[in-house]
Amino acid sequence: MPLLITDLKLPLTAPEEQAVELALSLCRLRREQVTLARVYKRSLDARKQHEMRFVYSVQLSLPQGEEALAKGLHSPKVRYQPPLPEMEPPRLAPLPHPPIVVGFGPAGMFCAYQLARAGLRPLVLERGGSLDRRGPAVEEYWRTGKLDPSANVQFGEGGAGAFSDGKLTTRIQDPRCHWVLEQLAKLGAPKEILTKAKPHIGTDLLRQVVKNLRQEILRLGGEVRFDTRVDRLLLGQGRVRGVVAGGEEIPSDFVVLALGHSARDTFRTLLGQGVTLLPKPFSVGVRIEHPQSLIDRGLYGDYAGHPALPVGEYQLSWRQGERGVYTFCMCPGGYVVPSASQPDTVVTNGMSYHARSGTNANAGLVVSVSQADYGSHPLDGMAFQQRLEQAAFAMGGGTGAAPGVTVGRFLQHKTGLDLNRVQPTYALGVTPGDLDQLFPPVIPAMLREGIARMGKKLPGFDAPDSVLTAPETRTSSPVRIPRGESGMAEGLYGLFPCGEGAGYAGGILSAAVDGVRSAQWVMEQITSRA
């Protein structure tokens, strides 16, 4: 494996090749001595606006002696990368009843992809529509407020991530992450996702990548059925026997539940069938919308607009005791989008295209909540979300419009919209609303304190004409389906809870990685039985 040379700082205008030359110099190597020399990651250090720099990591490979060289240099910037785990799955004979993957978001897609690569011909059951059907249904909802419960921002091919920023950042340290990025690049994502420290695809490009991944699964012998909701599991003698979907009993010894965080009816069914579900903390709040130029100025100062700089993005947080307020899923140059999956509810989310060229920036500004806020029953968190969404629909006038308030008024405990530089992008309209009436008191209190403190970290964040649009409720799953070391649900052989809906991921990349992990667990059970 290559050497990794990190913390190479260069001016904004320096060519990337200069980072490679600097790495060679640190390792006392000449170009002809290496078999590989490439930029591995690039990030922006904007902590000091008067001397912003790009920070590079570079990979170098030698025919031999890489580990010894790294040790001999005694440099904290140079380290040997151990070999990554083998990601090529074993070739397995097809089963009489193929493994079933429930859900075709990032976790389900990558689980099915790995199972298909192994020759297991998985069957994917997705309650929502294909992107060819889902895309027009979402556009119709955004234009008219007419919601299709089976084809919306939450349900359908690609999952909720297909209508997002396509962000590929994660806090997990798992070697599968880079492999997932490599697969996405092979399937049509921009190659830059392999080197950017904060990669994103954008909703416009991500949708085609998702279609390409589906075609690859089909080419490898898998099957994908859309508009096919799983009604219940088939269980017997402590193990899964298959599923019932669309009135049809489909037998299988291995079922992967990659449900996503919004499959509320399925969570109820699972609990009723005796599957263990636990309440899980999550967060609720609003979308905050600023002019993108304001964010760029706050981050970059006089360098704002420099052609070498990316569109500005931020991540801010503040904690008081056990409760935190933080920004979530920041969308530079993006849009606040209607994201309900049930009639007579309002849900907000953020989305941006690859170019991130919209006038406004937006982010979720959310406060953590736990059982102390909503109750200890496994589905109490889900009910808490639903009550907020229904109350927001009523507060918005019952048209699908979202309740909102400008920051200046909100900080003064007032309602109303003093619109100036920010014209809200929420497609169904924003109408004045009272966040103190919508949320339990602790939520607006934390939001006010967070905005004030974040305004000191990022100039302009607390600008009075910034807009708060409510509610942001689908930050993560309100439940967890506990699983053991083999990846299976407690007391149910062959049932594999997976991804964000099961409480084991938070975003596209971590969900995809969990899908790969679950596929590996399925294959381990199959090979152990052979």
Side-chain angles (χ1 to χ4, degrees):
M1 289 297 293
L3 297 169
L4 187 65
I5 299 88
T6 61
D7 197 31
L8 304 174
K9 298 178 181 179
L10 292 173
L12 296 180
T13 55
E16 286 193 349
E17 184 61 26
Q18 193 170 327
V20 174
E21 295 301 326
L22 184 55
L24 289 166
S25 176
L26 279 172
C27 293
R28 303 169 192 167
L29 294 170
R30 299 185 305 277
R31 177 68 71 134
E32 58 268 23
Q33 292 178 280
V34 300
T35 57
L36 171 73
R38 68 175 185 182
V39 170
Y40 181 66
K41 290 292 179 185
R42 188 186 81 162
S43 62
L44 176 68
D45 183 355
R47 290 172 295 177
K48 298 179 180 179
Q49 292 182 351
H50 62 282
E51 55 177 352
M52 285 188 292
R53 298 185 175 191
F54 284 119
V55 183
Y56 293 86
S57 297
V58 170
Q59 285 183 327
L60 300 176
S61 284
L62 299 171
Q64 58 184 4
E66 292 169 333
E67 189 170 8
L69 176 61
K71 289 180 179 178
L73 289 172
H74 301 292
S75 171
K77 293 186 177 183
V78 182
R79 70 174 188 265
Y80 172 70
Q81 284 184 299
L84 295 175
E86 179 57 55
M87 294 302 299
E88 189 66 28
R91 293 296 300 175
L92 300 173
L95 301 176
H97 303 298
I100 294 173
V101 178
V102 183
F104 203 55
M109 289 189 298
F110 271 88
C111 180
Y113 178 51
Q114 278 295 77
L115 294 174
R117 292 177 73 222
L120 290 170
R121 301 177 184 174
L123 170 62
V124 178
L125 303 176
E126 167 54 53
R127 66 183 296 160
S130 68
L131 275 169
D132 289 333
R133 185 175 88 78
R134 186 185 179 199
V138 169
E139 295 290 344
E140 173 75 6
Y141 170 49
W142 289 347
R143 188 170 60 254
T144 68
K146 182 180 178 181
L147 176 71
D148 184 337
S150 65
N152 48 64
V153 170
Q154 308 297 342
F155 299 144
E157 183 176 19
F163 293 89
S164 71
D165 182 56
K167 214 176 302 293
L168 299 173
T169 53
T170 180
R171 293 179 181 177
I172 66 171
Q173 300 296 319
D174 191 305
R176 298 176 186 88
C177 290
H178 195 72
W179 181 84
V180 168
L181 294 177
E182 289 177 339
Q183 304 312 302
L184 291 171
K186 289 178 183 178
L187 292 161
K191 303 299 183 190
E192 66 192 31
I193 67 172
L194 298 175
T195 55
K196 279 191 172 182
K198 296 180 179 179
H200 86 286
I201 299 178
T203 185
D204 46 342
L205 302 187
L206 181 58
R207 295 180 208 177
Q208 187 58 52
V209 173
V210 168
K211 290 181 184 180
N212 293 344
L213 180 53
R214 185 226 308 169
Q215 290 302 320
E216 186 63 11
I217 291 169
L218 298 179
R219 186 188 71 80
L220 292 167
E223 180 183 354
V224 180
R225 298 184 193 176
F226 294 113
D227 299 299
T228 307
R229 189 186 68 176
V230 170
D231 300 313
R232 59 185 174 89
L233 300 175
L234 295 173
L235 304 173
Q237 298 180 325
R239 63 187 303 150
V240 70
R241 302 291 186 180
V243 303
V244 177
E248 177 188 358
E249 291 192 359
I250 307 174
S252 178
D253 292 332
F254 304 100
V255 176
V256 178
L257 293 176
L259 300 172
H261 56 41
S262 296
R264 292 170 174 170
D265 48 0
T266 307
F267 292 147
R268 293 190 190 97
T269 298
L270 292 173
L271 187 64
Q273 289 196 273
V275 178
T276 300
L277 271 69
L278 301 175
K280 184 182 76 62
F282 55 101
S283 301
V284 298
V286 298
R287 279 269 149 187
I288 186 166
E289 205 162 8
H290 302 92
Q292 182 63 54
S293 58
L294 180 72
I295 298 301
D296 291 347
R297 182 76 184 181
L299 290 170
Y300 301 146
D302 292 340
Y303 279 88
H306 191 290
L309 290 172
V311 179
E313 57 183 309
Y314 58 80
Q315 186 172 8
L316 302 166
S317 63
W318 176 71
R319 177 167 290 277
Q320 185 177 54
E322 296 299 314
R323 198 183 298 272
V325 55
Y326 60 97
T327 61
F328 168 84
C329 185
M330 192 265 164
C331 296
Y335 306 86
V336 180
V337 294
S339 303
S341 55
Q342 293 177 293
D344 300 336
T345 60
V346 167
V347 179
T348 66
N349 194 16
M351 183 189 82
S352 57
Y353 299 104
H354 179 69
R356 291 177 163 177
S357 57
T359 302
N360 292 352
N362 76 80
L365 178 64
V366 294
V367 178
S368 57
V369 293
S370 66
Q371 294 179 50
D373 301 293
Y374 52 74
S376 58
H377 185 275
L379 302 184
D380 279 350
M382 187 178 80
F384 177 75
Q385 290 175 322
Q386 193 164 357
R387 286 195 300 272
L388 289 176
E389 295 162 11
Q390 291 169 339
F393 183 81
M395 187 175 286
T399 64
V405 61
T406 40
V407 164
R409 283 184 170 264
F410 179 65
L411 293 180
Q412 296 173 18
H413 296 260
K414 297 178 181 179
T415 61
L417 291 162
D418 294 328
L419 299 181
N420 186 7
R421 291 174 297 177
V422 178
Q423 295 301 311
T425 56
Y426 186 82
L428 295 175
V430 177
T431 190
D434 189 342
L435 302 192
D436 288 287
Q437 293 297 316
L438 178 63
F439 293 106
V442 68
I443 305 300
M446 287 291 290
L447 291 175
R448 288 188 176 98
E449 189 67 28
I451 290 170
R453 290 175 179 267
M454 292 172 189
K456 295 176 181 178
K457 295 180 180 179
L458 176 58
F461 187 85
D462 56 352
D465 61 344
S466 302
V467 176
L468 306 177
T469 307
E472 170 80 62
T473 55
R474 309 289 180 92
T475 53
S476 65
S477 179
V479 302
R480 174 172 284 113
I481 307 175
R483 65 191 184 190
E485 292 184 1
S486 61
M488 289 183 282
E490 291 182 353
L492 281 173
Y493 180 84
L495 184 67
F496 296 82
C498 173
E500 192 161 348
Y504 294 99
I508 293 172
L509 187 55
S510 61
V513 166
D514 203 58
V516 174
R517 186 184 295 116
S518 294
Q520 291 171 329
W521 280 325
V522 171
M523 290 184 281
E524 286 172 4
Q525 293 302 316
I526 292 172
T527 54
S528 68
R529 299 195 319 175

